[in-house]
Amino acid sequence: MRGVVFDGKHVQVVDDLVVRDPGPGEVLVGVRAAGLCHSDLSVIDGTIPFPAPVVLGHEGAGVVEAVGPGVTHVAEGDHVALSTLANCGACADCDRGRPTMCRKAIGMPKQPFSLGGTPLFQFASNSSFAERTVVKAVQAVKIPEDIPLTSAALMGCGVLTGVGAVLNRAGVDRGETVVVIGAGGIGLNVLQGARIAGATTIVAVDTNPAKERTALLFGATHFLTSTDGVREVLPTGADHVFECVGHTGLVRTAIDLLDRHGQAILLGMTAPTAEASFLPAAMFLDKSILGCRYGSSRPQKDIALYAELYRQGRLLLDELVTETYPVEDFAKAAEDAEQGRVARGVLTF
């Protein structure tokens, strides 16, 4: 079968990838569509350290082809969106509704794939850049069949992360003010999360002026190409500032743009050793800096919610898909993503 493999130095699309059968508590999914997220590119450029060789991809949707013993919530033929959380479901964090904090779901990649007899790692417990993948049952979330799989794929990462950061982590409330730095795939979902939450002033900031139209579509009330103009829109600062770029200087900027009692939510992925600085004295006005993993999401609950919001016309998914590419055109999809030409490019099988 076809798949996108990174060997530690180079990326190639192969056609002789093999995946094992599902074991107890696992699901084999025939992937139909997979979004290309910057996290995949960050593995390639080394920003996210990950063992190689590895099958890339972590934002996908498809059709269940087989289930292992003990799996009852999905069956062969079901349409599913895939999450990256291979959480155990039994630890204290899972029991408290915090699956993103499950220690058994972080840093223990498995090797369900092989190529020419060599085992390959699974990226983010998912590897959706393959025609078939095996995931834990908890990662396969059943979705209505009327949602296009090219759109549904994006719920597995970009939507969970961006919308979830607003609703779950920051708790944005009606009438509050929001600034979103970076209007890429994650930033657009933060924008629509803020709109859904009822924020009244939503400022999108991106250096690329071509992103204005899309940002306004997703919920921005204002669009700026520099953070320098934010104080003209919000003279006292914002209740919430989301940093979606992963630039240490912008972390400082996000904090500086806060109003009293404001929150800076960090979503952009920096290098593991990167350091940011800020003025601690400013924090005494009840300001907060919040980290956020995967939108503090609960995929089985949240994806079902987002699917319903999509069907009601309140959550935009189709509009996120700028371009679709056959998996063989991975290089073109990666180039378009790196150059900021797409909100989300989606690989298809």
Side-chain angles (χ1 to χ4, degrees):
M1 67 179 185
R2 294 169 295 168
V4 180
V5 175
F6 176 58
D7 66 5
K9 294 182 179 179
H10 305 98
V11 180
Q12 62 176 329
V13 180
V14 302
D15 59 10
D16 53 349
L17 190 64
V18 176
V19 65
R20 63 169 173 78
D21 293 332
E26 294 181 332
V27 178
L28 175 68
V29 177
V31 179
R32 299 292 187 270
L36 176 55
C37 175
H38 275 280
S39 293
D40 299 299
L41 302 178
S42 294
V43 173
I44 297 171
D45 67 21
T47 301
I48 297 179
F50 203 88
V54 57
V55 180
L56 296 174
H58 66 286
E59 184 182 69
V63 179
V64 175
E65 294 191 358
V67 300
V71 177
T72 59
H73 76 289
V74 293
E76 184 178 340
D78 284 345
H79 286 207
V80 293
L82 301 177
S83 87
T84 68
L85 289 181
N87 58 295
C88 71
C91 67
D93 284 307
C94 286
D95 192 51
R96 293 170 184 163
R98 302 190 305 217
T100 57
M101 296 296 105
C102 177
R103 298 180 191 277
K104 294 184 179 181
I106 302 174
M108 291 179 285
K110 297 182 179 180
Q111 296 174 300
F113 299 96
S114 62
L115 182 66
T118 300
L120 276 66
F121 287 101
Q122 185 173 39
F123 180 51
S125 302
N126 189 304
S127 289
S128 57
F129 292 172
E131 283 189 82
R132 295 179 186 84
T133 189
V134 169
V135 297
K136 288 187 66 174
V138 71
Q139 296 176 254
V141 184
K142 187 176 179 178
I143 58 173
E145 293 187 12
D146 59 357
I147 300 179
L149 291 174
T150 50
S151 298
L154 306 187
M155 289 194 288
C157 179
V159 175
L160 278 178
T161 299
V163 179
V166 175
L167 302 183
N168 298 331
R169 186 66 170 125
V172 174
D173 202 358
R174 296 179 299 276
E176 292 189 322
T177 57
V178 171
V179 174
V180 181
I181 303 175
I186 299 300
L188 290 176
N189 281 296
V190 174
L191 289 171
Q192 68 172 334
R195 169 178 51 78
I196 291 168
T200 50
T201 303
I202 306 172
V203 183
V205 182
D206 198 289
T207 56
N208 184 353
K211 294 185 178 182
E212 178 175 6
R213 180 178 178 182
T214 305
L216 295 175
L217 173 66
F218 274 76
T221 59
H222 301 73
F223 181 88
L224 304 172
T225 55
S226 169
T227 56
D228 294 341
V230 171
R231 289 286 182 173
E232 295 180 15
V233 180
L234 298 170
T236 62
D239 295 313
H240 310 273
V241 180
F242 294 82
E243 200 284 331
C244 304
V245 178
H247 187 284
T248 55
L250 291 175
V251 171
R252 168 65 179 268
T253 300
I255 296 168
D256 291 343
L257 290 175
L258 294 175
D259 197 354
R260 299 181 179 189
H261 206 271
Q263 298 181 141
I265 302 91
L266 309 184
L267 296 179
M269 178 62 68
T270 62
T273 58
E275 298 183 359
S277 63
F278 63 95
L279 299 176
M283 307 306 292
F284 290 102
L285 292 173
D286 282 358
K287 298 180 182 181
S288 304
I289 303 171
L290 303 181
C292 182
R293 180 172 189 259
Y294 203 43
S296 301
S297 59
R298 302 145 299 177
Q300 290 288 339
K301 174 182 175 64
D302 292 348
I303 288 178
L305 169 63
Y306 301 154
E308 183 57 30
L309 291 176
Y310 167 80
R311 298 173 87 188
Q312 294 176 7
R314 298 171 61 191
L315 182 84
L316 305 181
L317 292 179
D318 304 338
E319 294 82 357
L320 282 168
V321 182
T322 310
E323 190 74 49
T324 60
Y325 310 82
V327 68
E328 290 82 4
D329 288 346
F330 174 80
K332 178 65 166 62
E335 180 186 0
D336 287 349
E338 289 174 333
Q339 297 301 318
R341 301 184 187 121
V342 293
R344 250 321 184 256
V346 176
L347 301 178
T348 58
F349 294 88

